[in-house]
Amino acid sequence: MELNRSKRILLLASLIWTAVIGGLLLWDRHVERLHVEDLARREARSNFNKDLAFRMWATRHGGVYVPIDARTPPNPGLAHVPERDLVTPSGRKLTLMNPAYILRQMMGEFSEMYGIKGRITSFNLINPDNAPDQWEAAALRRFERGEKEVFEFTDMDGQPYLRLMRPMMVVSGCLKCHGFQGYKVGDVRGGVGVAVPMQPYLDDFHASVRPRRAILGVIWLLGLGAIATLVVQVRRRFDEQDRAAAELEGHNRVIARTNADLQRFAEVTAHHLQEPARRMVSYAERLTRQLDDRIDDAETRLSLDFITQEARRQKNLLRDIERYLAADQPRDKVASIDASQVVARVLARAKDRIGAAGAEITVNELPPAWIDAPRLADLFEVTLDNALQHGGAESRRWRDGAAVAVPTDAPLKITIDGEREGSLVRYRVSDNGPGIEEQYRERVFRVFERLSSDGDVASTGIGLAIVRRIAESCGGRAFIEAAQGGGCRVVFELPAKEKS
Amino acid sequence: MSERRNLRVLIVEDEPGDERLMRLALRQGGFAVDLDTVSDGHSAQRFLRREGEQFAHAPRPDLILLDLKMPGQNGLEFLAAVKQDERLRDIPVVVITTSTLGADVLAAYQHGAAGYVQKPTDINEFVAAIEKLGQYWFNLVRLPENPG
Amino acid sequence: MSTEQHRFVVLLVEDEPADAHLVRAAISENHILADLRIAVDGREALEYLRRQGPRFADAPRPNLILLDLNMPRMDGREFLAAIKQEPHLRDIPVVILTTSEVERDVLASYHLGAAGYITKPVDVLQFMAAIRDLGDYWFDLVRLPHQK
């Protein structure tokens, strides 16, 4: 994996991870905020309701009379209310406290305990201290338009608050003190509200969110670390794989080159060694002819015979080695070759050998094969020679590791036939000789493997190996089975047409 | 070795009698050959180059037997033309003619002939000569593959 | 072995002594009246034909050249191309005598002007027969330039 790619992946993964963590963080804050606001709202409502309940109670009573003292002077704003002040039969002086007054005193004296302070306000005031601020004024106007509640988070003196306000409706009890202002029952007299300071809630919020944020931060860092490590590891693995693959390829190239060199060397060697071998055969035969009538000594004759024989064997071996090496490559154009024509030519070339073996050859109809003509000729030539050599009159059988002579009276008959089966074509070269025992039928395909050691020069032990190599290089195969009557049958299969 | 077909011989000979003898002799020798005949140098060249409707499908010969004395373009000119043509020069040409002039012999070989046979007057000798010719060109030597 | 006894001179261009000797033996055993001269490669053959150097000052002009293809220094193809360029050497017929069966060599030889291509038979008897047939064509059938 190249550097840029892994960097990009790292970046992308980090961004995604950060987005996930960031999202979690935001969602957490959001939920926490909602929770906190919800708590604040609840507090606001409960305080508001308490507040309102008290006011309504007090209003229903038309106010509450309390003893006049220094902290509770008569309310000048109620001057117009008859019997604002009373004296008890025992001479105690009482004055009327309106709900607002009561609350104001209560809030003043038990401020801490009371907690959240509510307020009544109106555009039509008796007590100017109750004048609405900007927010309240806006709320009052909305009440005039018909809204029933204003519940908002807003600032007061730079501090965050949650403010709740509802319109105050005139009930009959209100008229006692406020009737003179021209209200009727059901009118909107003003608004009653409560303001919950949000700072404590916000402090709680932050206090709650902070540790979680820290945890998320740690998780984020750990995640980044994991991503980085992962990417580095993966990249390392890819690099290792690439290196290993390149090394393997390098090795393979070296091996292929070495193989090609060896093959070439073997081919060139076999080719060049054939020249002196050929000359030796020529002169050995010539010497034999020249001395033929002049040799009385059987020993001399024998020496000459052996030289000739071995020279021939060497030539044949080299020829077959060369053929074996060349067996896997076509030597001419690969096409659908008429096997009958090829066999006819092979038989013509082998006329002398066939005559020497006294063999009778039968060739049946042969289908064409997809191969080059020279190699098809080799296949038939080798199998024919095989049959001529081993199916002959004086043949031996390989039995229990020893050669046993089995004279045959029947003349050697060789049959060549073939058939097409699907996408392959099968040729059979059968003889009526002694055949090959089942246990040796695979062995004979090995190079230099021969079944007789009778000094037959023509038999190099490579022929069947050549047959198999040619067949297999075309995608076919070669094997031996028993012919009818016990003889040997060499079968080779080739493709019938080009592989599409 | 691709499929063996009969070898093709182009006989360039204007004397019908001699031409018939050559055919007879080649057949008698048992040579598997197909024969084409043209009677002068110009036709022979058109034959080889497959010019004109007549010779559009003329087969490429493996061997040319050439008489020197012919009407129109004489044999030597034809021989020279063939041996100078890159595509035709590898076809062996054997001169079979009546001329006994040493100058003709030299000229033939100078222009690339692969043999000079003096037509024997005796028919039997003529046939024997053609048989020997066939033995050399069809049985002994190897000829290049003919693409057709 | 003076030239008077022989009617023909054959120049064999062959680098392997064993192969050269076989040709000599075949000529002799077929009773071909030819004086066989041997050059071991193309270069020596050219020197012979041009009569260069003291060795070849009196070298008799061959009537036929038998040419191997694969030789050191200058191989058969080069030699053939060279002599077919020289006006006084090009009329000597050249027959290739080689172990190569490669089609490419066959075509190249005829293209350069060879008058025959023989793949040396492996069998000695067949080799003898081939030399005999060769002699039949070149010394019995055809006329050669500068023939005595």
Side-chain angles (χ1 to χ4, degrees):
Chain A
M1 205 196 268
E2 348 127 14
L3 197 59
N4 279 343
R5 184 127 183 262
S6 64
K7 268 200 194 145
R8 269 205 306 250
I9 290 180
L10 188 66
L11 198 63
L12 191 65
S14 305
L15 283 175
I16 292 175
W17 177 245
T18 306
V20 164
I21 296 295
L24 274 177
L25 198 67
L26 289 175
W27 179 78
D28 181 57
R29 285 175 72 102
H30 176 69
V31 165
E32 189 63 30
R33 179 135 214 147
L34 286 181
H35 177 63
V36 150
E37 285 177 2
D38 194 53
L39 287 177
R41 272 186 227 265
R42 272 199 224 158
E43 195 183 355
R45 262 191 234 284
S46 84
N47 277 294
F48 179 88
N49 286 338
K50 266 217 199 89
D51 202 273
L52 187 63
F54 178 79
R55 286 186 205 267
M56 309 258 344
W57 171 83
T59 298
R60 202 180 270 178
H61 280 300
V64 174
Y65 284 101
V66 301
I68 295 178
D69 57 19
R71 63 187 243 268
T72 320
N75 187 353
L78 296 178
H80 63 286
V81 176
E83 291 188 325
R84 188 191 68 180
D85 299 322
L86 288 179
V87 179
T88 68
S90 60
R92 289 224 350 234
K93 291 214 178 93
L94 304 174
T95 184
L96 183 71
M97 284 183 91
N98 58 316
Y101 194 357
I102 300 174
L103 282 171
R104 208 170 25 246
Q105 192 181 72
M106 193 176 355
M107 289 184 208
E109 291 177 4
F110 295 94
S111 173
E112 295 279 327
M113 208 184 298
Y114 195 81
I116 308 259
K117 299 174 179 46
R119 224 157 88 89
I120 296 187
T121 185
S122 175
F123 285 133
N124 204 350
L125 292 165
I126 292 186
N127 186 344
D129 288 341
N130 293 337
D133 65 20
Q134 202 175 5
W135 184 83
E136 287 164 329
L140 288 172
R141 278 195 281 276
R142 283 159 75 169
F143 297 148
E144 279 170 14
R145 282 201 295 273
E147 281 185 50
K148 294 290 185 253
E149 181 184 85
V150 177
F151 204 166
E152 278 178 359
F153 291 94
T154 183
D155 282 349
M156 272 166 54
D157 303 323
Q159 295 294 317
Y161 278 86
L162 172 61
R163 302 183 77 171
L164 169 62
M165 196 156 143
R166 290 210 192 124
M168 197 149 194
M169 310 301 253
V170 173
V171 297
S172 52
C174 306
L175 292 177
K176 182 171 166 186
C177 305
H178 292 280
F180 79 93
Q181 289 176 298
Y183 286 118
K184 290 189 288 301
V185 172
D187 281 349
V188 173
R189 231 194 68 206
V192 59
V194 83
V196 174
M198 284 305 294
Q199 197 51 52
Y201 282 102
L202 291 179
D203 291 343
D204 276 352
F205 167 79
H206 283 117
S208 163
V209 161
R210 200 169 297 129
R212 289 207 291 275
R213 190 170 57 201
I215 293 174
L216 279 178
V218 168
I219 293 176
W220 176 74
L221 284 175
L222 286 177
L224 281 184
I227 289 171
T229 312
L230 194 66
V231 169
V232 164
Q233 283 301 319
V234 166
R235 204 179 96 223
R236 204 173 291 162
R237 286 287 292 287
F238 270 107
D239 283 348
E240 258 171 40
Q241 259 181 30
D242 285 343
R243 232 190 334 263
E247 221 179 289
L248 188 64
E249 209 185 297
H251 282 312
N252 283 348
R253 260 201 300 269
V254 169
I255 290 174
R257 208 173 36 236
T258 309
N259 273 351
D261 285 345
L262 273 174
Q263 168 98 353
R264 230 185 338 262
F265 177 74
E267 287 166 358
V268 166
T269 304
H271 184 79
H272 279 103
L273 282 175
Q274 280 185 77
E275 292 283 292
R278 184 184 51 79
R279 284 181 210 117
M280 279 206 303
V281 169
S282 299
Y283 278 96
E285 287 173 353
R286 200 171 141 66
L287 190 63
T288 304
R289 257 183 42 232
Q290 284 165 324
L291 294 177
D292 196 33
D293 39 2
R294 282 181 259 163
I295 303 175
D296 306 317
D297 184 9
E299 236 346 273
T300 311
R301 169 113 231 169
L302 205 58
S303 294
L304 206 49
D305 283 347
F306 277 127
I307 288 174
T308 309
Q309 182 181 287
E310 291 307 310
R312 282 205 196 104
R313 167 172 290 138
Q314 182 168 40
K315 186 179 66 64
N316 290 339
L317 274 169
L318 287 167
R319 177 205 64 204
D320 277 358
I321 287 174
E322 201 184 20
R323 275 207 284 198
Y324 180 84
L325 287 170
D328 64 341
Q329 295 292 330
R331 293 209 295 281
D332 200 352
K333 202 170 82 109
V334 174
S336 185
I337 301 291
D338 182 349
S340 301
Q341 266 201 7
V342 168
V343 168
R345 277 202 298 264
V346 167
L347 290 176
R349 276 202 299 267
K351 213 165 55 175
D352 296 333
R353 299 200 297 277
I354 295 172
E360 191 184 301
I361 319 271
T362 312
V363 183
N364 297 327
E365 211 179 302
L366 300 173
W370 185 263
I371 190 177
D372 55 302
R375 283 195 300 169
L376 188 60
D378 279 354
L379 285 168
F380 283 110
E381 190 157 359
V382 170
T383 45
L384 176 72
D385 277 341
N386 204 64
L388 288 172
Q389 285 151 32
H390 301 292
E394 256 189 54
S395 53
R396 292 165 199 254
R397 242 179 163 158
W398 189 263
R399 184 178 281 149
D400 303 318
V404 175
V406 177
T408 52
D409 298 316
L412 176 59
K413 284 199 176 65
I414 298 175
T415 313
I416 302 178
D417 55 21
E419 62 184 2
R420 167 102 182 245
E421 191 181 299
S423 66
L424 53 80
V425 64
R426 184 179 298 127
Y427 298 105
R428 283 187 290 256
V429 178
S430 325
D431 63 54
N432 63 341
I436 299 180
E437 274 174 56
E438 204 174 325
Q439 52 183 306
Y440 299 116
R441 287 188 195 150
E442 263 304 303
R443 259 179 66 178
V444 289
F445 282 99
R446 286 194 234 146
V447 186
F448 295 125
E449 195 79 38
R450 291 161 59 215
L451 280 191
S452 59
S453 53
D454 57 359
D456 186 344
V457 157
S459 165
T460 56
I462 307 181
L464 286 175
I466 295 174
V467 167
R468 179 168 275 181
R469 195 158 193 248
I470 293 176
E472 285 178 357
S473 78
C474 294
R477 56 188 190 132
F479 53 92
I480 286 180
E481 53 191 26
Q484 281 161 331
C488 173
R489 171 181 292 161
V490 179
V491 183
F492 49 96
E493 291 173 354
L494 299 169
K497 55 177 191 277
E498 194 171 17
K499 229 180 269 203
S500 49
Chain B
M1 206 197 301
S2 45
E3 294 182 29
R4 166 100 57 88
R5 22 146 217 106
N6 282 352
L7 292 171
R8 304 206 76 96
V9 180
L10 173 63
I11 301 175
V12 188
E13 170 65 65
D14 65 326
E15 278 287 323
D18 289 344
E19 194 260 352
R20 262 203 304 277
L21 268 179
M22 279 193 239
R23 280 185 184 264
L24 174 69
L26 287 171
R27 216 137 279 154
Q28 226 168 272
F31 305 115
V33 290
D34 293 333
L35 304 167
D36 292 294
T37 307
V38 291
S39 48
D40 66 83
H42 281 304
S43 309
Q45 281 206 51
R46 287 210 307 279
F47 181 98
L48 290 173
R49 296 194 175 107
R50 294 184 178 136
E51 283 171 19
E53 237 183 83
Q54 191 185 6
F55 301 124
H57 303 292
R60 193 180 199 271
D62 298 289
L63 177 70
I64 299 175
L65 302 178
L66 173 66
D67 187 8
L68 286 183
K69 292 209 200 108
M70 287 181 301
Q73 187 187 53
N74 75 47
L76 275 181
E77 283 172 19
F78 166 76
L79 175 58
V82 166
K83 287 303 169 181
Q84 272 156 27
D85 187 330
E86 275 294 313
R87 291 162 305 162
L88 300 172
R89 64 190 297 184
D90 53 86
I91 306 174
V93 180
V94 177
V95 168
I96 305 184
T97 189
T98 48
S99 168
T100 55
L101 291 175
D104 281 342
V105 175
L106 183 60
Y109 282 101
Q110 278 273 332
H111 285 87
Y116 187 107
V117 178
Q118 274 174 233
K119 284 182 192 172
T121 38
D122 183 76
I123 289 184
N124 293 323
E125 283 179 27
F126 190 106
V127 168
I130 297 297
E131 283 182 16
K132 261 198 199 156
L133 188 114
Q135 174 63 16
Y136 180 80
W137 289 108
F138 309 137
N139 288 343
L140 177 61
V141 304
R142 186 166 152 182
L143 292 168
E145 298 250 322
N146 188 342
Chain C
M1 219 191 298
S2 62
T3 343
E4 280 85 69
Q5 287 183 341
H6 305 277
R7 284 181 57 205
F8 307 99
V9 176
V10 175
L11 174 64
L12 170 66
V13 190
E14 166 65 64
D15 61 320
E16 283 287 340
D19 289 340
H21 182 78
L22 224 48
V23 173
R24 186 184 291 286
I27 287 177
S28 156
E29 282 172 33
N30 281 303
H31 308 294
I32 297 171
L33 298 173
D35 175 8
L36 182 68
R37 299 296 176 116
I38 299 173
V40 299
D41 61 36
R43 189 100 71 93
E44 198 174 87
L46 275 178
E47 285 170 19
Y48 176 99
L49 291 167
R50 291 171 184 153
R51 296 194 176 118
Q52 285 167 340
R55 263 180 74 198
F56 302 125
D58 296 318
R61 193 174 202 274
N63 302 103
L64 177 68
I65 298 177
L66 296 178
L67 178 61
D68 188 15
L69 284 182
N70 298 318
M71 297 175 289
R73 281 205 309 173
M74 182 194 265
D75 72 7
R77 293 163 217 88
E78 278 183 71
F79 168 79
L80 184 53
I83 60 161
K84 288 301 173 185
Q85 303 281 351
E86 280 189 43
H88 21 262
L89 295 179
R90 65 195 296 184
D91 55 86
I92 307 174
V94 179
V95 174
I96 308 294
L97 189 62
T98 182
T99 50
S100 168
E101 296 181 285
V102 175
E103 174 58 30
R104 197 182 49 231
D105 285 340
V106 179
L107 188 60
S109 302
Y110 280 102
H111 201 79
L112 289 169
Y117 188 106
I118 299 175
T119 309
K120 289 183 207 170
V122 172
D123 185 83
V124 164
L125 290 175
Q126 281 181 15
F127 185 84
M128 297 287 169
I131 297 295
R132 179 202 64 213
D133 288 343
L134 194 71
D136 279 350
Y137 182 81
W138 291 107
F139 303 135
D140 266 353
L141 176 63
V142 307
R143 263 197 72 178
L144 293 165
H146 312 295
Q147 206 170 325
K148 287 194 267 288

